[in-house]
Amino acid sequence: MKLKRTKLLVEPPASATSDIAFILIVFFLVCASVEPDKGRAQTLPRSEPEPQKDKQSQNIEVELTRDAVIMNGNPLPKETFVKTIILKLADKAREEDKIVAVKSRKEVPYSHWMDITGIIEDAGGVITLQLEEEQTVQVQ
Amino acid sequence: MIVKRRQMNASVPAMAMGDIAFLLLIFFVILARARDDSHLQWKPAEGVELVRPATMNASVVIDKYNVTHLNGREIPISTLSEELKVILGENVAGRRTVLLKVHHEVTAVYFEPVIEAISEAGGELHHILEEYKQR
């Protein structure tokens, strides 16, 4: 005697497909929206068009090239720079003496700039940017 | 003779709810994408001891093509300071946070004027970085 197998319903209910799509979209949105939102705050004094030269000369001057650091005219390896800046800033009590003027050459990448300014701030320094002003000279 | 009024059934079909939600979601996603800067291409520089900013009042991105964007919209550096002043308005300290997202290879000639403009507008700068990974 042959027994007939009962047919099973294998088709998913069509009414659920939009709900599945909705859940899938929410899942992909959550996955895609993971953006970096952490970082480092930096306090910069407001820009002054004419810096006071007599005060600036007492401050530490750091010049950045593409991959090197020059402090008060002396090129230093990174490890030596870290030690020197900590020592130099440690004996300065007043806030205005802790100002470090950072001058960057045009080709300095952001990653290098952030690295060095981070070291200065961790040592207690206050960053100021020394920018070259554009001047138009008319030649007659 | 009283003729009974036929009752009208005015219920919203429950079947369509999923489709309505789906279309609404797509609408809001497109609307949100026009305002944010997630479509811009940039890779953050690395840093340590990173913190999440308490507030976010404006976002400036310099993408990998050295193009500056304010809140997802391309902007010339010459007008950045003025536009930021308008956005930040008379906000008190602590509510003037400007997120700065710079591609790690962008050079000083592009990012320094942006930092200067944020400083000039009285913005509180917060560099967005990636946690340093030891390789």
Side-chain angles (χ1 to χ4, degrees):
Chain A
M1 194 182 96
K2 275 186 180 178
L3 283 174
K4 269 195 175 179
R5 186 175 288 176
T6 50
K7 276 187 181 176
L8 289 166
L9 183 70
V10 285
E11 201 175 285
S15 62
T17 49
S18 55
D19 294 337
I20 295 164
F22 179 76
I23 299 291
L24 273 173
I25 283 189
V26 170
F27 169 74
F28 284 116
L29 266 181
V30 171
C31 287
S33 65
V34 181
E35 267 217 6
D37 56 352
K38 278 183 171 182
R40 214 178 66 212
Q42 194 171 52
T43 314
L44 289 171
R46 282 216 177 194
S47 56
E48 290 169 23
E50 284 178 36
Q52 292 169 320
K53 296 220 168 175
D54 55 327
K55 273 192 180 176
Q56 281 222 336
S57 61
Q58 295 164 7
N59 297 131
I60 301 163
E61 282 188 11
V62 173
E63 192 181 344
L64 300 180
T65 64
R66 187 165 178 83
D67 43 21
V69 194
I70 302 164
M71 194 162 100
N72 292 336
N74 303 315
L76 298 172
K78 195 180 157 187
E79 293 75 28
T80 319
F81 171 73
V82 176
K83 288 174 191 164
T84 317
I85 195 88
I86 291 169
L87 280 175
K88 285 220 178 219
L89 289 168
D91 55 350
K92 298 198 185 231
R94 295 188 308 165
E95 275 299 303
E96 55 264 39
D97 293 336
K98 291 184 178 178
I99 290 173
V100 178
V102 178
K103 190 181 179 183
S104 311
R105 292 195 189 162
K106 286 179 181 178
E107 70 274 11
V108 174
Y110 179 70
S111 49
H112 180 50
W113 191 88
M114 281 308 296
D115 192 17
I116 299 303
T117 54
I119 291 167
I120 296 168
E121 284 181 321
D122 290 345
V126 179
I127 307 279
T128 55
L129 297 187
Q130 228 178 38
L131 302 172
E132 281 178 29
E133 279 186 39
E134 277 183 30
Q135 286 183 339
T136 312
V137 180
Q138 272 195 327
V139 182
Q140 288 180 339
Chain B
M1 192 179 94
I2 298 167
V3 179
K4 271 196 175 176
R5 186 176 288 177
R6 191 184 288 172
Q7 280 195 336
M8 301 283 278
N9 193 2
S11 66
V12 181
M15 276 273 285
M17 285 300 170
D19 296 335
I20 295 164
F22 178 76
L23 288 176
L24 272 173
L25 197 76
I26 288 181
F27 170 73
F28 285 117
V29 165
I30 292 167
L31 207 72
R33 275 187 76 83
R35 282 182 60 114
D36 78 356
D37 48 28
S38 58
H39 59 288
L40 300 174
Q41 292 181 25
W42 68 286
K43 188 181 179 300
E46 290 181 337
V48 288
E49 294 172 16
L50 307 181
V51 288
R52 209 178 289 272
T55 56
M56 192 280 250
N57 302 89
S59 165
V60 178
V61 180
I62 307 177
D63 66 10
K64 67 176 190 178
Y65 307 108
N66 300 321
V67 181
T68 308
H69 303 261
L70 173 62
N71 290 340
R73 182 170 48 87
E74 196 178 323
I75 188 169
I77 294 174
S78 54
T79 59
L80 180 61
S81 176
E82 290 306 313
E83 294 240 7
L84 273 172
K85 277 179 190 169
V86 173
I87 292 170
L88 298 174
E90 297 296 314
N91 288 10
V92 291
R95 299 220 166 261
R96 302 181 70 85
T97 310
V98 179
L99 301 188
L100 181 60
K101 304 170 182 179
V102 183
H103 182 64
H104 67 122
E105 283 173 347
V106 168
T107 52
V109 71
Y110 295 104
F111 69 77
E112 277 198 335
V114 170
I115 294 174
E116 190 195 12
I118 295 169
S119 168
E120 203 180 304
E124 291 160 359
L125 193 58
H126 198 103
H127 297 268
I128 296 298
L129 305 170
E130 191 179 44
E131 199 71 51
Y132 175 74
K133 290 170 200 147
Q134 282 220 321
R135 293 174 187 101

mmCIF file of all heavy atoms in Angstrom, chain B residues 28-66:
data_model
loop_
_atom_site.group_PDB
_atom_site.id
_atom_site.type_symbol
_atom_site.label_atom_id
_atom_site.label_comp_id
_atom_site.label_asym_id
_atom_site.label_seq_id
_atom_site.Cartn_x
_atom_site.Cartn_y
_atom_site.Cartn_z
ATOM 1 N N PHE B 28 14.358 59.530 4.770
ATOM 2 C CA PHE B 28 15.165 60.171 5.823
ATOM 3 C C PHE B 28 16.654 59.916 5.637
ATOM 4 O O PHE B 28 17.471 60.774 5.959
ATOM 5 C CB PHE B 28 14.697 59.713 7.212
ATOM 6 C CG PHE B 28 13.414 60.353 7.625
ATOM 7 C CD1 PHE B 28 12.274 59.618 7.849
ATOM 8 C CD2 PHE B 28 13.334 61.733 7.774
ATOM 9 C CE1 PHE B 28 11.083 60.211 8.225
ATOM 10 C CE2 PHE B 28 12.150 62.350 8.149
ATOM 11 C CZ PHE B 28 11.015 61.579 8.369
ATOM 12 N N VAL B 29 16.996 58.739 5.110
ATOM 13 C CA VAL B 29 18.425 58.443 4.863
ATOM 14 C C VAL B 29 18.975 59.402 3.824
ATOM 15 O O VAL B 29 20.040 59.992 4.003
ATOM 16 C CB VAL B 29 18.598 56.973 4.411
ATOM 17 C CG1 VAL B 29 19.970 56.743 3.801
ATOM 18 C CG2 VAL B 29 18.394 56.040 5.576
ATOM 19 N N ILE B 30 18.233 59.610 2.734
ATOM 20 C CA ILE B 30 18.692 60.527 1.673
ATOM 21 C C ILE B 30 18.787 61.953 2.218
ATOM 22 O O ILE B 30 19.741 62.678 1.962
ATOM 23 C CB ILE B 30 17.760 60.447 0.443
ATOM 24 C CG1 ILE B 30 17.922 59.074 -0.220
ATOM 25 C CG2 ILE B 30 18.054 61.553 -0.559
ATOM 26 C CD1 ILE B 30 16.870 58.739 -1.231
ATOM 27 N N LEU B 31 17.808 62.344 3.003
ATOM 28 C CA LEU B 31 17.794 63.684 3.604
ATOM 29 C C LEU B 31 19.001 63.883 4.523
ATOM 30 O O LEU B 31 19.639 64.934 4.517
ATOM 31 C CB LEU B 31 16.507 63.861 4.403
ATOM 32 C CG LEU B 31 16.002 65.285 4.567
ATOM 33 C CD1 LEU B 31 15.457 65.798 3.251
ATOM 34 C CD2 LEU B 31 14.919 65.324 5.625
ATOM 35 N N ALA B 32 19.318 62.859 5.304
ATOM 36 C CA ALA B 32 20.421 62.961 6.261
ATOM 37 C C ALA B 32 21.758 62.981 5.550
ATOM 38 O O ALA B 32 22.681 63.683 5.952
ATOM 39 C CB ALA B 32 20.362 61.796 7.246
ATOM 40 N N ARG B 33 21.889 62.229 4.484
ATOM 41 C CA ARG B 33 23.164 62.153 3.762
ATOM 42 C C ARG B 33 23.545 63.499 3.150
ATOM 43 O O ARG B 33 24.713 63.799 2.973
ATOM 44 C CB ARG B 33 23.101 61.087 2.677
ATOM 45 C CG ARG B 33 23.418 59.716 3.189
ATOM 46 C CD ARG B 33 23.502 58.745 2.041
ATOM 47 N NE ARG B 33 24.744 58.895 1.292
ATOM 48 C CZ ARG B 33 25.885 58.339 1.648
ATOM 49 N NH1 ARG B 33 25.952 57.633 2.738
ATOM 50 N NH2 ARG B 33 26.967 58.491 0.917
ATOM 51 N N ALA B 34 22.538 64.294 2.790
ATOM 52 C CA ALA B 34 22.820 65.602 2.202
ATOM 53 C C ALA B 34 23.389 66.564 3.237
ATOM 54 O O ALA B 34 24.021 67.544 2.895
ATOM 55 C CB ALA B 34 21.542 66.178 1.610
ATOM 56 N N ARG B 35 23.173 66.288 4.510
ATOM 57 C CA ARG B 35 23.626 67.195 5.575
ATOM 58 C C ARG B 35 24.928 66.755 6.224
ATOM 59 O O ARG B 35 25.652 67.569 6.748
ATOM 60 C CB ARG B 35 22.549 67.290 6.662
ATOM 61 C CG ARG B 35 21.398 68.191 6.298
ATOM 62 C CD ARG B 35 20.450 68.248 7.439
ATOM 63 N NE ARG B 35 21.134 68.768 8.627
ATOM 64 C CZ ARG B 35 20.833 69.922 9.184
ATOM 65 N NH1 ARG B 35 19.877 70.648 8.687
ATOM 66 N NH2 ARG B 35 21.477 70.335 10.246
ATOM 67 N N ASP B 36 25.241 65.476 6.198
ATOM 68 C CA ASP B 36 26.431 65.046 6.926
ATOM 69 C C ASP B 36 27.614 64.898 5.980
ATOM 70 O O ASP B 36 27.533 65.215 4.800
ATOM 71 C CB ASP B 36 26.151 63.770 7.735
ATOM 72 C CG ASP B 36 26.157 62.526 6.882
ATOM 73 O OD1 ASP B 36 26.308 62.609 5.636
ATOM 74 O OD2 ASP B 36 25.998 61.459 7.451
ATOM 75 N N ASP B 37 28.741 64.422 6.522
ATOM 76 C CA ASP B 37 29.945 64.355 5.700
ATOM 77 C C ASP B 37 30.463 62.924 5.574
ATOM 78 O O ASP B 37 31.624 62.711 5.304
ATOM 79 C CB ASP B 37 31.020 65.288 6.274
ATOM 80 C CG ASP B 37 31.203 65.115 7.759
ATOM 81 O OD1 ASP B 37 30.957 64.007 8.265
ATOM 82 O OD2 ASP B 37 31.586 66.084 8.414
ATOM 83 N N SER B 38 29.568 61.950 5.741
ATOM 84 C CA SER B 38 30.005 60.556 5.694
ATOM 85 C C SER B 38 30.392 60.111 4.285
ATOM 86 O O SER B 38 31.028 59.086 4.115
ATOM 87 C CB SER B 38 28.913 59.646 6.252
ATOM 88 O OG SER B 38 27.731 59.833 5.518
ATOM 89 N N HIS B 39 29.977 60.882 3.274
ATOM 90 C CA HIS B 39 30.303 60.506 1.899
ATOM 91 C C HIS B 39 31.704 60.960 1.499
ATOM 92 O O HIS B 39 32.203 60.581 0.449
ATOM 93 C CB HIS B 39 29.261 61.102 0.944
ATOM 94 C CG HIS B 39 29.176 62.595 1.014
ATOM 95 N ND1 HIS B 39 28.622 63.248 2.095
ATOM 96 C CD2 HIS B 39 29.590 63.547 0.167
ATOM 97 C CE1 HIS B 39 28.693 64.546 1.878
ATOM 98 N NE2 HIS B 39 29.276 64.755 0.731
ATOM 99 N N LEU B 40 32.353 61.783 2.349
ATOM 100 C CA LEU B 40 33.674 62.309 2.011
ATOM 101 C C LEU B 40 34.762 61.278 2.322
ATOM 102 O O LEU B 40 34.648 60.532 3.296
ATOM 103 C CB LEU B 40 33.939 63.606 2.773
ATOM 104 C CG LEU B 40 32.937 64.722 2.484
ATOM 105 C CD1 LEU B 40 33.182 65.900 3.385
ATOM 106 C CD2 LEU B 40 33.015 65.146 1.026
ATOM 107 N N GLN B 41 35.791 61.279 1.495
ATOM 108 C CA GLN B 41 36.860 60.283 1.648
ATOM 109 C C GLN B 41 38.043 60.883 2.390
ATOM 110 O O GLN B 41 38.686 61.815 1.890
ATOM 111 C CB GLN B 41 37.306 59.793 0.277
ATOM 112 C CG GLN B 41 36.235 58.966 -0.418
ATOM 113 C CD GLN B 41 36.689 58.454 -1.758
ATOM 114 O OE1 GLN B 41 37.873 58.295 -2.013
ATOM 115 N NE2 GLN B 41 35.741 58.174 -2.616
ATOM 116 N N TRP B 42 38.293 60.360 3.580
ATOM 117 C CA TRP B 42 39.449 60.798 4.363
ATOM 118 C C TRP B 42 39.813 59.697 5.353
ATOM 119 O O TRP B 42 38.962 58.915 5.778
ATOM 120 C CB TRP B 42 39.142 62.104 5.108
ATOM 121 C CG TRP B 42 38.118 61.954 6.191
ATOM 122 C CD1 TRP B 42 36.779 61.792 6.029
ATOM 123 C CD2 TRP B 42 38.361 61.915 7.606
ATOM 124 N NE1 TRP B 42 36.175 61.667 7.254
ATOM 125 C CE2 TRP B 42 37.117 61.743 8.233
ATOM 126 C CE3 TRP B 42 39.514 62.028 8.387
ATOM 127 C CZ2 TRP B 42 36.993 61.665 9.616
ATOM 128 C CZ3 TRP B 42 39.392 61.961 9.760
ATOM 129 C CH2 TRP B 42 38.142 61.780 10.365
ATOM 130 N N LYS B 43 41.099 59.634 5.654
ATOM 131 C CA LYS B 43 41.572 58.642 6.624
ATOM 132 C C LYS B 43 42.206 59.415 7.776
ATOM 133 O O LYS B 43 43.111 60.232 7.539
ATOM 134 C CB LYS B 43 42.595 57.723 5.958
ATOM 135 C CG LYS B 43 43.011 56.543 6.813
ATOM 136 C CD LYS B 43 44.040 55.698 6.094
ATOM 137 C CE LYS B 43 44.499 54.529 6.934
ATOM 138 N NZ LYS B 43 45.116 54.904 8.205
ATOM 139 N N PRO B 44 41.738 59.206 8.999
ATOM 140 C CA PRO B 44 42.269 60.009 10.108
ATOM 141 C C PRO B 44 43.714 59.671 10.462
ATOM 142 O O PRO B 44 44.163 58.546 10.219
ATOM 143 C CB PRO B 44 41.336 59.667 11.266
ATOM 144 C CG PRO B 44 40.716 58.382 10.910
ATOM 145 C CD PRO B 44 40.679 58.291 9.438
ATOM 146 N N ALA B 45 44.406 60.656 11.028
ATOM 147 C CA ALA B 45 45.751 60.423 11.562
ATOM 148 C C ALA B 45 45.595 59.666 12.878
ATOM 149 O O ALA B 45 44.503 59.609 13.438
ATOM 150 C CB ALA B 45 46.442 61.760 11.780
ATOM 151 N N GLU B 46 46.699 59.082 13.358
ATOM 152 C CA GLU B 46 46.621 58.299 14.603
ATOM 153 C C GLU B 46 46.973 59.158 15.814
ATOM 154 O O GLU B 46 47.748 60.110 15.710
ATOM 155 C CB GLU B 46 47.567 57.102 14.512
ATOM 156 C CG GLU B 46 47.082 56.057 13.524
ATOM 157 C CD GLU B 46 47.996 54.851 13.455
ATOM 158 O OE1 GLU B 46 49.181 54.979 13.814
ATOM 159 O OE2 GLU B 46 47.508 53.782 13.054
ATOM 160 N N GLY B 47 46.405 58.802 16.932
ATOM 161 C CA GLY B 47 46.695 59.506 18.176
ATOM 162 C C GLY B 47 46.430 58.610 19.371
ATOM 163 O O GLY B 47 45.882 57.513 19.216
ATOM 164 N N VAL B 48 46.829 59.073 20.540
ATOM 165 C CA VAL B 48 46.585 58.308 21.769
ATOM 166 C C VAL B 48 45.754 59.142 22.744
ATOM 167 O O VAL B 48 45.676 60.355 22.613
ATOM 168 C CB VAL B 48 47.915 57.865 22.446
ATOM 169 C CG1 VAL B 48 48.584 56.758 21.655
ATOM 170 C CG2 VAL B 48 48.859 59.029 22.628
ATOM 171 N N GLU B 49 45.165 58.460 23.715
ATOM 172 C CA GLU B 49 44.333 59.092 24.753
ATOM 173 C C GLU B 49 43.271 59.995 24.125
ATOM 174 O O GLU B 49 43.177 61.183 24.424
ATOM 175 C CB GLU B 49 45.200 59.871 25.742
ATOM 176 C CG GLU B 49 46.112 58.963 26.560
ATOM 177 C CD GLU B 49 47.118 59.740 27.394
ATOM 178 O OE1 GLU B 49 46.934 60.942 27.593
ATOM 179 O OE2 GLU B 49 48.099 59.108 27.839
ATOM 180 N N LEU B 50 42.498 59.421 23.232
ATOM 181 C CA LEU B 50 41.489 60.209 22.511
ATOM 182 C C LEU B 50 40.215 60.328 23.344
ATOM 183 O O LEU B 50 39.872 59.418 24.094
ATOM 184 C CB LEU B 50 41.181 59.548 21.163
ATOM 185 C CG LEU B 50 42.379 59.248 20.268
ATOM 186 C CD1 LEU B 50 41.937 58.623 18.967
ATOM 187 C CD2 LEU B 50 43.197 60.496 19.998
ATOM 188 N N VAL B 51 39.558 61.447 23.187
ATOM 189 C CA VAL B 51 38.303 61.674 23.917
ATOM 190 C C VAL B 51 37.194 62.050 22.945
ATOM 191 O O VAL B 51 37.445 62.617 21.878
ATOM 192 C CB VAL B 51 38.440 62.772 24.997
ATOM 193 C CG1 VAL B 51 39.251 62.303 26.175
ATOM 194 C CG2 VAL B 51 39.026 64.048 24.415
ATOM 195 N N ARG B 52 35.971 61.750 23.376
ATOM 196 C CA ARG B 52 34.799 62.088 22.567
ATOM 197 C C ARG B 52 34.392 63.527 22.909
ATOM 198 O O ARG B 52 34.316 63.869 24.092
ATOM 199 C CB ARG B 52 33.674 61.125 22.936
ATOM 200 C CG ARG B 52 32.682 60.843 21.821
ATOM 201 C CD ARG B 52 31.659 59.847 22.301
ATOM 202 N NE ARG B 52 32.205 58.506 22.451
ATOM 203 C CZ ARG B 52 32.254 57.603 21.474
ATOM 204 N NH1 ARG B 52 31.799 57.915 20.279
ATOM 205 N NH2 ARG B 52 32.760 56.408 21.688
ATOM 206 N N PRO B 53 34.155 64.374 21.918
ATOM 207 C CA PRO B 53 33.754 65.744 22.253
ATOM 208 C C PRO B 53 32.365 65.782 22.906
ATOM 209 O O PRO B 53 31.485 65.005 22.532
ATOM 210 C CB PRO B 53 33.745 66.458 20.895
ATOM 211 C CG PRO B 53 33.610 65.387 19.889
ATOM 212 C CD PRO B 53 34.227 64.156 20.462
ATOM 213 N N ALA B 54 32.200 66.676 23.872
ATOM 214 C CA ALA B 54 30.924 66.769 24.589
ATOM 215 C C ALA B 54 29.826 67.327 23.689
ATOM 216 O O ALA B 54 28.677 66.911 23.755
ATOM 217 C CB ALA B 54 31.093 67.639 25.820
ATOM 218 N N THR B 55 30.202 68.293 22.842
ATOM 219 C CA THR B 55 29.216 68.881 21.919
ATOM 220 C C THR B 55 29.809 68.896 20.517
ATOM 221 O O THR B 55 31.006 68.721 20.333
ATOM 222 C CB THR B 55 28.868 70.325 22.322
ATOM 223 O OG1 THR B 55 30.090 71.068 22.364
ATOM 224 C CG2 THR B 55 28.165 70.392 23.638
ATOM 225 N N MET B 56 28.940 69.147 19.542
ATOM 226 C CA MET B 56 29.410 69.241 18.154
ATOM 227 C C MET B 56 28.566 70.303 17.462
ATOM 228 O O MET B 56 27.381 70.116 17.263
ATOM 229 C CB MET B 56 29.250 67.880 17.476
ATOM 230 C CG MET B 56 29.951 67.766 16.143
ATOM 231 S SD MET B 56 29.076 68.494 14.778
ATOM 232 C CE MET B 56 28.579 67.073 13.864
ATOM 233 N N ASN B 57 29.193 71.429 17.158
ATOM 234 C CA ASN B 57 28.429 72.521 16.569
ATOM 235 C C ASN B 57 28.695 72.709 15.079
ATOM 236 O O ASN B 57 27.863 73.249 14.365
ATOM 237 C CB ASN B 57 28.724 73.823 17.326
ATOM 238 C CG ASN B 57 28.396 73.688 18.794
ATOM 239 O OD1 ASN B 57 29.240 73.289 19.591
ATOM 240 N ND2 ASN B 57 27.159 73.946 19.142
ATOM 241 N N ALA B 58 29.866 72.279 14.635
ATOM 242 C CA ALA B 58 30.173 72.333 13.197
ATOM 243 C C ALA B 58 31.236 71.282 12.900
ATOM 244 O O ALA B 58 31.956 70.846 13.802
ATOM 245 C CB ALA B 58 30.678 73.712 12.813
ATOM 246 N N SER B 59 31.286 70.885 11.641
ATOM 247 C CA SER B 59 32.261 69.877 11.249
ATOM 248 C C SER B 59 32.980 70.339 9.985
ATOM 249 O O SER B 59 32.343 70.702 8.998
ATOM 250 C CB SER B 59 31.534 68.554 11.009
ATOM 251 O OG SER B 59 32.356 67.659 10.311
ATOM 252 N N VAL B 60 34.306 70.355 10.054
ATOM 253 C CA VAL B 60 35.115 70.752 8.893
ATOM 254 C C VAL B 60 35.936 69.542 8.463
ATOM 255 O O VAL B 60 36.596 68.909 9.288
ATOM 256 C CB VAL B 60 36.039 71.949 9.233
ATOM 257 C CG1 VAL B 60 36.905 72.322 8.041
ATOM 258 C CG2 VAL B 60 35.226 73.148 9.681
ATOM 259 N N VAL B 61 35.857 69.211 7.193
ATOM 260 C CA VAL B 61 36.611 68.059 6.656
ATOM 261 C C VAL B 61 37.541 68.543 5.552
ATOM 262 O O VAL B 61 37.136 69.332 4.699
ATOM 263 C CB VAL B 61 35.652 66.989 6.080
ATOM 264 C CG1 VAL B 61 36.429 65.802 5.531
ATOM 265 C CG2 VAL B 61 34.654 66.515 7.122
ATOM 266 N N ILE B 62 38.795 68.067 5.603
ATOM 267 C CA ILE B 62 39.683 68.238 4.440
ATOM 268 C C ILE B 62 39.902 66.826 3.916
ATOM 269 O O ILE B 62 40.510 65.995 4.590
ATOM 270 C CB ILE B 62 41.021 68.907 4.800
ATOM 271 C CG1 ILE B 62 40.791 70.218 5.562
ATOM 272 C CG2 ILE B 62 41.838 69.169 3.543
ATOM 273 C CD1 ILE B 62 42.068 70.906 6.014
ATOM 274 N N ASP B 63 39.349 66.546 2.752
ATOM 275 C CA ASP B 63 39.391 65.169 2.243
ATOM 276 C C ASP B 63 40.727 64.850 1.574
ATOM 277 O O ASP B 63 41.638 65.689 1.569
ATOM 278 C CB ASP B 63 38.194 64.898 1.323
ATOM 279 C CG ASP B 63 38.227 65.714 0.041
ATOM 280 O OD1 ASP B 63 39.260 66.347 -0.242
ATOM 281 O OD2 ASP B 63 37.217 65.725 -0.683
ATOM 282 N N LYS B 64 40.826 63.654 1.023
ATOM 283 C CA LYS B 64 42.110 63.224 0.457
ATOM 284 C C LYS B 64 42.482 63.973 -0.830
ATOM 285 O O LYS B 64 43.594 63.854 -1.307
ATOM 286 C CB LYS B 64 42.123 61.722 0.236
ATOM 287 C CG LYS B 64 41.200 61.182 -0.816
ATOM 288 C CD LYS B 64 41.436 59.681 -0.933
ATOM 289 C CE LYS B 64 40.729 59.096 -2.119
ATOM 290 N NZ LYS B 64 40.997 57.671 -2.267
ATOM 291 N N TYR B 65 41.531 64.745 -1.353
ATOM 292 C CA TYR B 65 41.825 65.568 -2.531
ATOM 293 C C TYR B 65 42.140 67.015 -2.124
ATOM 294 O O TYR B 65 42.101 67.913 -2.978
ATOM 295 C CB TYR B 65 40.638 65.530 -3.501
ATOM 296 C CG TYR B 65 40.218 64.126 -3.866
ATOM 297 C CD1 TYR B 65 39.035 63.569 -3.385
ATOM 298 C CD2 TYR B 65 41.035 63.327 -4.665
ATOM 299 C CE1 TYR B 65 38.665 62.270 -3.698
ATOM 300 C CE2 TYR B 65 40.671 62.022 -4.982
ATOM 301 C CZ TYR B 65 39.480 61.501 -4.490
ATOM 302 O OH TYR B 65 39.120 60.211 -4.800
ATOM 303 N N ASN B 66 42.380 67.246 -0.837
ATOM 304 C CA ASN B 66 42.718 68.564 -0.278
ATOM 305 C C ASN B 66 41.567 69.570 -0.384
ATOM 306 O O ASN B 66 41.793 70.772 -0.379
ATOM 307 C CB ASN B 66 43.957 69.168 -0.958
ATOM 308 C CG ASN B 66 45.167 68.297 -0.795
ATOM 309 O OD1 ASN B 66 45.394 67.715 0.256
ATOM 310 N ND2 ASN B 66 45.947 68.181 -1.847
#
